[in-house]
Amino acid sequence: MSTVRIRPRVLALLFSVALATPALAQTDPLPSWNDGAAKKAIVEFVQATTAQGDPKFVPPAERIAVFDQDGTTWVEQPMYSQVMYCLERVPALVKAKPELKDVEPFKTVLSGNREALAKLTMPDLEKILAATLTGMSVEQFGAQVKDWLATAKHPRFKRPYTELVYQPMLEVMKLFRANGYKTYFVTGGGQDFVRVYSEQVYGIPPEQVVGSAGGTRFGYDKAGRPMLTKEPKLLLNDDKAGKPEGIHLIIGQRPVAAFGNSIGDKQMLEYTQAGDGARLMVLLHHDDGTREFAYGAKSKVGTFPDTLMAQAQKQGWVVISMKNDWKRIFAFE
Amino acid sequence: MSTVRIRPRVLALLFSVALATPALAQTDPLPSWNDGAAKKAIVEFVQATTAQGDPKFVPPAERIAVFDQDGTTWVEQPMYSQVMYCLERVPALVKAKPELKDVEPFKTVLSGNREALAKLTMPDLEKILAATLTGMSVEQFGAQVKDWLATAKHPRFKRPYTELVYQPMLEVMKLFRANGYKTYFVTGGGQDFVRVYSEQVYGIPPEQVVGSAGGTRFGYDKAGRPMLTKEPKLLLNDDKAGKPEGIHLIIGQRPVAAFGNSIGDKQMLEYTQAGDGARLMVLLHHDDGTREFAYGAKSKVGTFPDTLMAQAQKQGWVVISMKNDWKRIFAFE
């Protein structure tokens, strides 16, 4: 990392403190949102928890807001971007290791045969993930991901994945940061994968990304230079119960606000809610098949089952309707 | 955590940026240090890496400085504080579980017999650590550590452990933070243990503590409230090669400055040095048996062997002589 980067968070903090007046009062902090219960709940939570003297006030050191990534801050259909990365990385892998050319599951991936691809089993996928995510230095991996991000395109939107970010959620992250919150990703995706672009795309620095994490092994290269090699050993499966466990491991504090979009975020929302004082739990509901994808409650995909909607209603979690609450979804619209 | 805490780092950052002149020019940032090569190297590194246009300039987002804890920022002799905690926790443990009263190694610990205690084996110690560090909720553990810190006294200095902090190192941490660095602990001690007091004692918030870490298990208590239970499963042994591995896991960025005091910090210093641009590697040498303890190079204890001193000299690491470089060691002197 050799370029000059100024953290938006730091600037925003300086700005908001220097003025000593909340930016909220002046302009709409969430311009891509329609007025409604979800927008109101989010804005009021930030106002109340940062107003000195408010019973909901949260001290600056405890202002932690966590965000799931896939499906919460960017598109996760038809496939997680990282899985797409692993599949599209196979040709380069085989070029470097030609002996894999006729070995399954790599042979099937190379064939590009969609029907055969759809039949890959979980063990097949694990082999592909292990081969494309481990065995190299952490720097080599970062460079490979950067290369892919620069050229890969989403199959439906025909745009780079890093443009398929939900503009309304970027606004929410900025609103939290402008009010002294640290924003963290807590993603089932790979920590090392998300850290490559999280600062540039979301304003979230590498040290504020909690994700599924494999081990690394410290050693020395042929020239005697110290290096870390990515190992095929899972340290943290940052999904479901793994999300609060990962939050404790990496952050060590319970968040006061949490945003998710699926059953994989349930435990993170429950854990957030179980703390003292003001709490905000939010679920994004994918109900807009025209502008994005509809795979929420009552759909067949099942990452947002009816039981989750029932729990949200019972426990007072905010549910965002993508269709009704968002004026626009992407910055390019 | 219900009290109001303002992070010193944030205030310092605001202050330094608002003035737009380095605080260094006005007053001595390291008043507890004697003038000498070590002080000069530290002050000049901070000045050079934060001066726009300097060839050593480090962008704010990459300003990460890591500190070992035991023996680098507070006293580690005659025993790590956390080991002392585990031993002194045994009476309360046996009170809660009377069936352990006549079971070894708890029986020996309860006896207080120093000779018998000195003969405890590593498996004995592991049993004591597992019994006192796991099995409870993360909140219960935090409360137990807080209770102990409030009453425990160091056997030689007869003061709370949290007062046995090296004032010169507190000044170094403040100097880094005042210049936009994030200061992290990278300690062999338990992450959950150090996080209890790191902000109050050192100004380092919980999320900036990397340490040895056990797993936790998400579940629900009898009332159905979500909770995390500390498990006897080691996820990260944050010592030696585990230090750069832990840095990658929790921080995800290579530090530009690293402070240690023993062979356990060797790989962290090597990993720090192997990055591009300006780097600062520092070892604290315990050579002051009068004011603290002398157990450095040429002593029999061996946590700072002659080979480490030779490596420091060869690779240009700064070595602090506690005896010669520090005017005073503790704030209470």
Side-chain angles (χ1 to χ4, degrees), chain A:
Chain A
M1 286 176 290
S2 59
T3 55
V4 176
R5 295 180 295 165
I6 304 287
R7 284 196 191 151
R9 186 177 63 81
V10 172
L11 284 182
L13 195 62
L14 287 171
F15 183 76
S16 66
V17 177
L19 288 185
T21 51
L24 294 175
Q26 292 151 25
T27 51
D28 183 351
L30 302 180
S32 298
W33 291 67
N34 290 315
D35 289 330
K39 176 177 180 174
K40 189 164 178 278
I42 293 168
V43 171
E44 285 184 357
F45 177 84
V46 173
Q47 285 179 322
T49 56
T50 56
Q52 281 280 2
D54 195 293
K56 290 186 175 172
F57 182 75
V58 174
E62 294 169 27
R63 291 183 196 162
I64 307 274
V66 294
F67 297 80
D68 169 58
Q69 189 198 211
D70 293 300
T72 297
T73 63
W74 77 355
V75 173
E76 67 176 348
Q77 291 290 342
M79 205 182 270
Y80 294 136
S81 307
Q82 190 174 357
V83 176
M84 202 68 97
Y85 167 76
C86 293
L87 294 173
E88 296 186 2
R89 177 76 201 157
V90 168
L93 175 74
V94 172
K95 204 173 166 190
K97 296 182 183 175
E99 69 273 19
L100 294 178
K101 195 168 146 276
D102 297 311
V103 177
E104 290 295 357
F106 307 102
K107 193 179 165 186
T108 293
V109 177
L110 283 174
S111 76
N113 180 327
R114 280 167 176 267
E115 270 181 46
L117 272 170
K119 281 181 195 151
L120 288 178
T121 62
M122 196 48 79
D124 288 336
L125 204 58
E126 281 170 10
K127 272 182 206 161
I128 295 163
L129 265 57
T132 52
L133 300 176
T134 68
M136 69 293 283
S137 76
V138 298
E139 286 81 11
Q140 283 169 336
F141 177 72
Q144 289 165 4
V145 174
K146 238 177 220 170
D147 282 351
W148 179 79
L149 288 172
T151 56
K153 296 265 164 70
H154 186 276
R156 172 175 156 191
F157 293 103
K158 316 289 184 206
R159 284 177 177 270
Y161 290 92
T162 49
E163 289 182 16
L164 298 179
V165 166
Y166 305 141
Q167 180 62 23
M169 291 306 293
L170 283 183
E171 291 168 4
V172 168
M173 288 180 161
K174 279 181 193 156
L175 172 65
F176 272 89
R177 289 196 290 260
N179 286 276
Y181 275 87
K182 274 191 175 178
T183 52
Y184 276 83
F185 269 130
V186 177
T187 170
Q191 203 164 258
D192 286 348
F193 184 81
V194 179
R195 280 172 170 169
V196 173
Y197 56 83
S198 61
E199 180 142 16
Q200 203 189 333
V201 175
Y202 297 100
I204 293 186
E207 64 270 27
Q208 284 166 223
V209 174
V210 182
S212 293
T216 57
R217 185 173 37 80
F218 178 84
Y220 304 87
D221 67 12
K222 283 173 194 163
R225 273 171 72 100
M227 62 178 290
L228 290 171
T229 304
K230 286 173 66 64
E231 296 271 275
K233 178 191 159 195
L234 192 64
L235 285 184
L236 173 64
N237 182 5
D238 198 49
D239 192 32
K240 300 191 173 71
K243 290 208 171 195
E245 292 163 6
I247 287 169
H248 182 71
L249 177 67
I250 311 275
I251 312 177
Q253 293 200 65
R254 193 194 300 260
V256 294
F259 293 76
N261 80 306
S262 81
I263 195 73
D265 301 309
K266 171 179 131 79
Q267 290 85 346
M268 175 171 81
L269 297 176
E270 290 174 344
Y271 179 66
T272 300
Q273 187 161 31
D276 297 329
R279 302 280 143 181
L280 179 71
M281 287 64 58
V282 183
L283 278 168
L284 171 58
H285 189 214
H286 289 264
D287 57 1
D288 192 333
T290 309
R291 294 188 297 172
E292 205 241 11
F293 296 92
Y295 55 100
K298 302 194 196 315
S299 78
K300 298 280 179 270
V301 184
T303 58
F304 194 135
D306 292 348
T307 52
L308 187 64
M309 188 62 99
Q311 183 174 9
Q313 281 159 357
K314 192 178 161 201
Q315 295 188 215
W317 299 351
V318 174
V319 177
I320 303 167
S321 160
M322 190 175 247
K323 190 174 172 180
N324 300 321
D325 285 314
W326 287 0
K327 259 183 220 168
R328 61 170 184 172
I329 294 181
F330 304 112
F332 57 78
E333 274 172 15

Side-chain angles (χ1 to χ4, degrees), chain A residues 4-7, chain B residues 52 57-64 180-182:
Chain A
V4 176
R5 295 180 295 165
I6 304 287
R7 284 196 191 151
Chain B
Q52 281 280 2
F57 182 75
V58 174
E62 294 168 28
R63 291 184 196 161
I64 306 275
Y181 275 86
K182 275 192 176 177

Side-chain angles (χ1 to χ4, degrees), chain B residues 25-44:
Chain B
Q26 291 148 27
T27 51
D28 184 351
L30 303 181
S32 299
W33 291 67
N34 290 315
D35 288 331
K39 177 177 180 173
K40 189 164 177 276
I42 294 167
V43 172
E44 285 184 356

Side-chain angles (χ1 to χ4, degrees), chain B residues 53-71:
Chain B
D54 194 293
K56 291 186 174 171
F57 182 75
V58 174
E62 294 168 28
R63 291 184 196 161
I64 306 275
V66 294
F67 296 80
D68 169 58
Q69 189 198 211
D70 293 300

